[in-house]
PDB file of all heavy atoms in Angstrom:
ATOM      1  N   ALA A 109     -13.138  -4.503   0.873  1.00  0.00           N
ATOM      2  CA  ALA A 109     -12.617  -3.134   0.928  1.00  0.00           C
ATOM      3  C   ALA A 109     -11.447  -3.044   1.897  1.00  0.00           C
ATOM      4  O   ALA A 109     -10.454  -2.362   1.620  1.00  0.00           O
ATOM      5  CB  ALA A 109     -13.726  -2.168   1.335  1.00  0.00           C
ATOM      6  N   VAL A 110     -11.528  -3.737   3.016  1.00  0.00           N
ATOM      7  CA  VAL A 110     -10.433  -3.732   3.992  1.00  0.00           C
ATOM      8  C   VAL A 110      -9.196  -4.418   3.390  1.00  0.00           C
ATOM      9  O   VAL A 110      -8.078  -3.899   3.482  1.00  0.00           O
ATOM     10  CB  VAL A 110     -10.873  -4.411   5.304  1.00  0.00           C
ATOM     11  CG1 VAL A 110      -9.684  -4.683   6.211  1.00  0.00           C
ATOM     12  CG2 VAL A 110     -11.901  -3.558   6.014  1.00  0.00           C
ATOM     13  N   ILE A 111      -9.376  -5.568   2.767  1.00  0.00           N
ATOM     14  CA  ILE A 111      -8.250  -6.292   2.153  1.00  0.00           C
ATOM     15  C   ILE A 111      -7.621  -5.460   1.045  1.00  0.00           C
ATOM     16  O   ILE A 111      -6.392  -5.367   0.933  1.00  0.00           O
ATOM     17  CB  ILE A 111      -8.724  -7.658   1.620  1.00  0.00           C
ATOM     18  CG1 ILE A 111      -9.108  -8.563   2.777  1.00  0.00           C
ATOM     19  CG2 ILE A 111      -7.654  -8.313   0.750  1.00  0.00           C
ATOM     20  CD1 ILE A 111      -9.830  -9.828   2.367  1.00  0.00           C
ATOM     21  N   THR A 112      -8.445  -4.816   0.234  1.00  0.00           N
ATOM     22  CA  THR A 112      -7.926  -3.970  -0.844  1.00  0.00           C
ATOM     23  C   THR A 112      -7.178  -2.767  -0.289  1.00  0.00           C
ATOM     24  O   THR A 112      -6.129  -2.391  -0.827  1.00  0.00           O
ATOM     25  CB  THR A 112      -9.082  -3.512  -1.749  1.00  0.00           C
ATOM     26  OG1 THR A 112      -9.747  -4.669  -2.256  1.00  0.00           O
ATOM     27  CG2 THR A 112      -8.581  -2.664  -2.899  1.00  0.00           C
ATOM     28  N   GLY A 113      -7.679  -2.178   0.769  1.00  0.00           N
ATOM     29  CA  GLY A 113      -6.978  -1.059   1.401  1.00  0.00           C
ATOM     30  C   GLY A 113      -5.618  -1.464   1.923  1.00  0.00           C
ATOM     31  O   GLY A 113      -4.642  -0.727   1.784  1.00  0.00           O
ATOM     32  N   ILE A 114      -5.530  -2.654   2.501  1.00  0.00           N
ATOM     33  CA  ILE A 114      -4.242  -3.141   2.998  1.00  0.00           C
ATOM     34  C   ILE A 114      -3.283  -3.378   1.835  1.00  0.00           C
ATOM     35  O   ILE A 114      -2.115  -2.989   1.887  1.00  0.00           O
ATOM     36  CB  ILE A 114      -4.446  -4.422   3.836  1.00  0.00           C
ATOM     37  CG1 ILE A 114      -5.170  -4.097   5.133  1.00  0.00           C
ATOM     38  CG2 ILE A 114      -3.122  -5.113   4.127  1.00  0.00           C
ATOM     39  CD1 ILE A 114      -5.663  -5.299   5.901  1.00  0.00           C
ATOM     40  N   TYR A 115      -3.777  -3.994   0.779  1.00  0.00           N
ATOM     41  CA  TYR A 115      -2.938  -4.277  -0.395  1.00  0.00           C
ATOM     42  C   TYR A 115      -2.420  -2.985  -1.029  1.00  0.00           C
ATOM     43  O   TYR A 115      -1.226  -2.852  -1.301  1.00  0.00           O
ATOM     44  CB  TYR A 115      -3.750  -5.088  -1.411  1.00  0.00           C
ATOM     45  CG  TYR A 115      -3.024  -5.360  -2.699  1.00  0.00           C
ATOM     46  CD1 TYR A 115      -2.001  -6.296  -2.748  1.00  0.00           C
ATOM     47  CD2 TYR A 115      -3.349  -4.685  -3.859  1.00  0.00           C
ATOM     48  CE1 TYR A 115      -1.328  -6.548  -3.931  1.00  0.00           C
ATOM     49  CE2 TYR A 115      -2.696  -4.931  -5.043  1.00  0.00           C
ATOM     50  CZ  TYR A 115      -1.688  -5.865  -5.075  1.00  0.00           C
ATOM     51  OH  TYR A 115      -1.019  -6.113  -6.253  1.00  0.00           O
ATOM     52  N   LEU A 116      -3.319  -2.041  -1.265  1.00  0.00           N
ATOM     53  CA  LEU A 116      -2.895  -0.788  -1.896  1.00  0.00           C
ATOM     54  C   LEU A 116      -2.014   0.039  -0.973  1.00  0.00           C
ATOM     55  O   LEU A 116      -1.134   0.762  -1.444  1.00  0.00           O
ATOM     56  CB  LEU A 116      -4.122   0.009  -2.337  1.00  0.00           C
ATOM     57  CG  LEU A 116      -4.916  -0.603  -3.489  1.00  0.00           C
ATOM     58  CD1 LEU A 116      -6.154   0.225  -3.780  1.00  0.00           C
ATOM     59  CD2 LEU A 116      -4.054  -0.744  -4.729  1.00  0.00           C
ATOM     60  N   SER A 117      -2.227  -0.067   0.315  1.00  0.00           N
ATOM     61  CA  SER A 117      -1.369   0.634   1.258  1.00  0.00           C
ATOM     62  C   SER A 117       0.056   0.100   1.204  1.00  0.00           C
ATOM     63  O   SER A 117       1.019   0.860   1.303  1.00  0.00           O
ATOM     64  CB  SER A 117      -1.933   0.495   2.664  1.00  0.00           C
ATOM     65  OG  SER A 117      -1.030   0.999   3.606  1.00  0.00           O
ATOM     66  N   PHE A 118       0.179  -1.206   1.067  1.00  0.00           N
ATOM     67  CA  PHE A 118       1.503  -1.825   0.952  1.00  0.00           C
ATOM     68  C   PHE A 118       2.251  -1.256  -0.247  1.00  0.00           C
ATOM     69  O   PHE A 118       3.422  -0.913  -0.155  1.00  0.00           O
ATOM     70  CB  PHE A 118       1.365  -3.346   0.811  1.00  0.00           C
ATOM     71  CG  PHE A 118       2.668  -4.057   0.616  1.00  0.00           C
ATOM     72  CD1 PHE A 118       3.456  -4.377   1.707  1.00  0.00           C
ATOM     73  CD2 PHE A 118       3.114  -4.407  -0.651  1.00  0.00           C
ATOM     74  CE1 PHE A 118       4.661  -5.038   1.540  1.00  0.00           C
ATOM     75  CE2 PHE A 118       4.313  -5.057  -0.824  1.00  0.00           C
ATOM     76  CZ  PHE A 118       5.092  -5.377   0.262  1.00  0.00           C
ATOM     77  N   VAL A 119       1.559  -1.136  -1.360  1.00  0.00           N
ATOM     78  CA  VAL A 119       2.207  -0.685  -2.594  1.00  0.00           C
ATOM     79  C   VAL A 119       2.365   0.829  -2.629  1.00  0.00           C
ATOM     80  O   VAL A 119       3.456   1.334  -2.914  1.00  0.00           O
ATOM     81  CB  VAL A 119       1.407  -1.146  -3.831  1.00  0.00           C
ATOM     82  CG1 VAL A 119       2.032  -0.628  -5.112  1.00  0.00           C
ATOM     83  CG2 VAL A 119       1.292  -2.645  -3.867  1.00  0.00           C
ATOM     84  N   LEU A 120       1.316   1.558  -2.355  1.00  0.00           N
ATOM     85  CA  LEU A 120       1.331   3.002  -2.595  1.00  0.00           C
ATOM     86  C   LEU A 120       1.774   3.817  -1.384  1.00  0.00           C
ATOM     87  O   LEU A 120       2.847   4.408  -1.390  1.00  0.00           O
ATOM     88  CB  LEU A 120      -0.052   3.452  -3.068  1.00  0.00           C
ATOM     89  CG  LEU A 120      -0.573   2.746  -4.328  1.00  0.00           C
ATOM     90  CD1 LEU A 120      -1.961   3.235  -4.658  1.00  0.00           C
ATOM     91  CD2 LEU A 120       0.371   2.947  -5.483  1.00  0.00           C
ATOM     92  N   ASN A 121       0.963   3.866  -0.364  1.00  0.00           N
ATOM     93  CA  ASN A 121       1.270   4.758   0.750  1.00  0.00           C
ATOM     94  C   ASN A 121       2.476   4.309   1.566  1.00  0.00           C
ATOM     95  O   ASN A 121       3.264   5.129   2.021  1.00  0.00           O
ATOM     96  CB  ASN A 121       0.059   4.895   1.668  1.00  0.00           C
ATOM     97  CG  ASN A 121      -1.114   5.533   0.976  1.00  0.00           C
ATOM     98  OD1 ASN A 121      -1.007   5.993  -0.151  1.00  0.00           O
ATOM     99  ND2 ASN A 121      -2.240   5.556   1.644  1.00  0.00           N
ATOM    100  N   GLY A 122       2.613   3.029   1.790  1.00  0.00           N
ATOM    101  CA  GLY A 122       3.757   2.533   2.544  1.00  0.00           C
ATOM    102  C   GLY A 122       5.021   2.470   1.700  1.00  0.00           C
ATOM    103  O   GLY A 122       6.122   2.725   2.172  1.00  0.00           O
ATOM    104  N   GLY A 123       4.860   2.124   0.436  1.00  0.00           N
ATOM    105  CA  GLY A 123       6.011   1.944  -0.442  1.00  0.00           C
ATOM    106  C   GLY A 123       6.705   3.220  -0.869  1.00  0.00           C
ATOM    107  O   GLY A 123       7.852   3.192  -1.294  1.00  0.00           O
ATOM    108  N   VAL A 124       6.033   4.345  -0.741  1.00  0.00           N
ATOM    109  CA  VAL A 124       6.640   5.602  -1.179  1.00  0.00           C
ATOM    110  C   VAL A 124       7.906   5.907  -0.394  1.00  0.00           C
ATOM    111  O   VAL A 124       8.880   6.419  -0.947  1.00  0.00           O
ATOM    112  CB  VAL A 124       5.630   6.767  -1.123  1.00  0.00           C
ATOM    113  CG1 VAL A 124       5.307   7.156   0.302  1.00  0.00           C
ATOM    114  CG2 VAL A 124       6.148   7.960  -1.894  1.00  0.00           C
TER     115      VAL A 124
END
Side-chain angles (χ1 to χ4, degrees):
V110 168
I111 292 169
T112 302
I114 291 168
Y115 176 74
L116 292 176
S117 172
F118 177 83
V119 177
L120 303 178
N121 297 353
V124 71

